[in-house]
Amino acid sequence: MTIQQWENDLLQWIPSTNIKKNETLKKYTMTKLGGKADILVLPKTEEQAAAVVKYAYENNIPLLMLGNGSNMVVRDGGVRGIVLHFALLDEIRIEGDTVYAQSGALIKEVSKQVAAQSLTGFEFACGIPGSIGGAMAMNAGAYGGEVKDIVTSCKVLTPEGELLELNNEQLELSYRKSIIAKKGYFVLSATFQLAHGDQKQIDEKIADLTFQRESKQPLEYPSAGSVFKRPPGYFAGKLIQDSELQGKGVGGAEVSTKHAGFIVNKNNATAKDYIDTIQMVQRVVKEKYDIDLEMEVKIVGED
């Protein structure tokens, strides 16, 4: 089957304006890196999303889910097959102390809306740059809070296009892990249980966490956020800092001088620059401390 054939078939479910051929993916990633996708599809409904997943499965077409692109590095050669982008599935609904959010809704936006309703429990996520889908897949967390503390259920599609509703226990959430990532599920939406709190305390906590993030993280440059998982008993950033790697890198990519756990696209880096810098950090830390730094970011696509 040709890319043109894929497009013709997808038009059964997706409007032509929401199908983009040879689309440059650096526009959709926080690192501003990456080559082109054969086809990028932006479904507007969960039914459309399910139709695309099922179509790709039945026709053996590679399928990649792209959220807010905050935790992903796309290689320079781009991505073959179909890239599914859920940016238009972004509904947020608050009913009492229960919050429903679709996969493409930004975590920061959910945090902002629930805070405005005097709901507490979501403050930790006020600065996380990803989408709800990505947050569910990796059990996103910051400043002592995690998604697993507040999620009650999650609606997903299996790689075959079957719809499942999973409760908190079935999601198997642990540090940066979930059944979603393990099984390759596609998140459609999630429901969270919060509590009514004191507006002043909520606002103060968000202001404090925002200050901590802005003062310590290199938000002035494109990056994939925190690159490495926390090794047991250590902090990745501290190991990298103690290895004297800050300011070092390959090509236009550099280990941030502001926060050693971040690698930034400082000067028109390529994806290869970025990945080579990741591997350089892993190699040096392994040589110096005999500790393997496991990546938190996902690398996809072709060289």
Side-chain angles (χ1 to χ4, degrees):
M1 290 175 77
T2 63
I3 296 171
Q4 187 59 57
Q5 182 64 57
W6 299 345
E7 182 184 25
N8 294 342
D9 291 345
L10 289 166
L11 286 168
Q12 297 173 66
W13 310 287
I14 311 291
S16 59
T17 50
N18 293 21
I19 301 173
K20 301 177 187 293
K21 282 194 296 186
N22 293 317
E23 184 74 351
T24 301
L25 292 174
K26 65 173 64 177
K27 296 194 289 188
Y28 300 88
T29 64
M30 300 290 280
T31 56
K32 304 301 175 198
L33 302 171
K36 293 179 178 179
D38 286 343
I39 282 192
L40 179 82
V41 180
L42 294 107
K44 287 189 76 171
T45 67
E46 293 182 359
E47 291 73 24
Q48 288 179 0
V52 176
V53 172
K54 197 169 183 188
Y55 171 76
Y57 174 74
E58 289 174 350
N59 292 280
N60 203 28
I61 301 167
L63 183 66
L64 173 70
M65 173 71 214
L66 179 65
N68 194 39
S70 58
N71 208 44
M72 184 178 281
V73 178
V74 179
R75 290 189 177 98
D76 298 309
V79 178
R80 306 289 69 81
I82 297 170
V83 174
L84 197 53
H85 190 34
F86 280 178
L88 303 180
L89 289 173
D90 62 352
E91 184 189 354
I92 300 167
R93 199 167 62 238
I94 302 170
E95 295 169 1
D97 52 10
T98 301
V99 181
Y100 163 88
Q102 285 186 306
S103 179
L106 297 181
I107 310 165
K108 289 193 288 189
E109 185 57 31
V110 178
S111 177
K112 183 177 160 187
Q113 289 195 26
V114 299
Q117 299 289 325
S118 301
L119 293 172
T120 184
F122 220 100
E123 294 93 333
F124 74 89
C126 66
I128 296 174
S131 63
I132 288 294
M136 291 305 310
M138 64 176 295
N139 182 30
Y143 301 111
E146 288 180 297
V147 162
K148 76 177 177 66
D149 303 330
I150 52 175
V151 69
T152 54
S153 66
C154 184
K155 199 192 291 185
V156 302
L157 291 167
T158 68
E160 298 77 32
E162 181 192 352
L163 187 66
L164 297 178
E165 182 107 24
L166 305 172
N167 63 29
N168 186 302
E169 192 178 334
Q170 291 168 322
L171 285 163
E172 296 180 16
L173 299 167
S174 60
Y175 179 64
R176 302 299 175 263
K177 289 181 181 173
S178 70
I179 192 79
I180 296 161
K182 193 158 101 181
K183 299 273 192 180
Y185 293 156
F186 301 91
V187 176
L188 290 175
S189 64
T191 304
F192 305 94
Q193 184 64 53
L194 303 178
H196 286 282
D198 179 83
Q199 188 67 56
K200 187 168 179 285
Q201 289 180 357
I202 292 168
D203 292 344
E204 284 175 353
K205 187 170 185 183
I206 286 176
D208 176 50
L209 295 182
T210 300
F211 172 76
Q212 287 189 54
R213 181 171 179 267
E214 289 177 350
S215 62
K216 293 175 183 174
Q217 296 182 12
L219 306 180
E220 62 272 26
Y221 294 111
S223 81
S226 181
V227 174
F228 303 104
K229 294 181 182 178
R230 189 176 64 239
Y234 297 90
F235 290 100
K238 181 78 166 63
L239 290 168
I240 298 164
Q241 185 178 328
D242 292 348
S243 299
E244 299 179 347
L245 289 171
Q246 285 177 283
K248 295 180 180 175
V250 178
E254 180 182 288
V255 177
S256 169
T257 54
K258 197 171 183 181
H259 188 312
F262 285 62
I263 292 171
V264 295
N265 176 358
K266 192 170 181 183
N267 187 23
N268 296 316
T270 62
K272 187 177 187 306
D273 292 342
Y274 203 91
I275 294 163
D276 286 350
T277 302
I278 290 173
Q279 292 170 346
M280 180 265 291
V281 169
Q282 289 175 314
R283 186 174 63 252
V284 172
V285 170
K286 176 68 173 174
E287 285 169 2
K288 192 157 187 174
Y289 297 104
D290 197 28
I291 292 170
D292 294 303
L293 288 181
E294 188 182 347
M295 282 192 302
E296 193 169 296
V297 299
K298 186 178 175 186
I299 296 174
V300 299
E302 299 183 347
D303 291 323

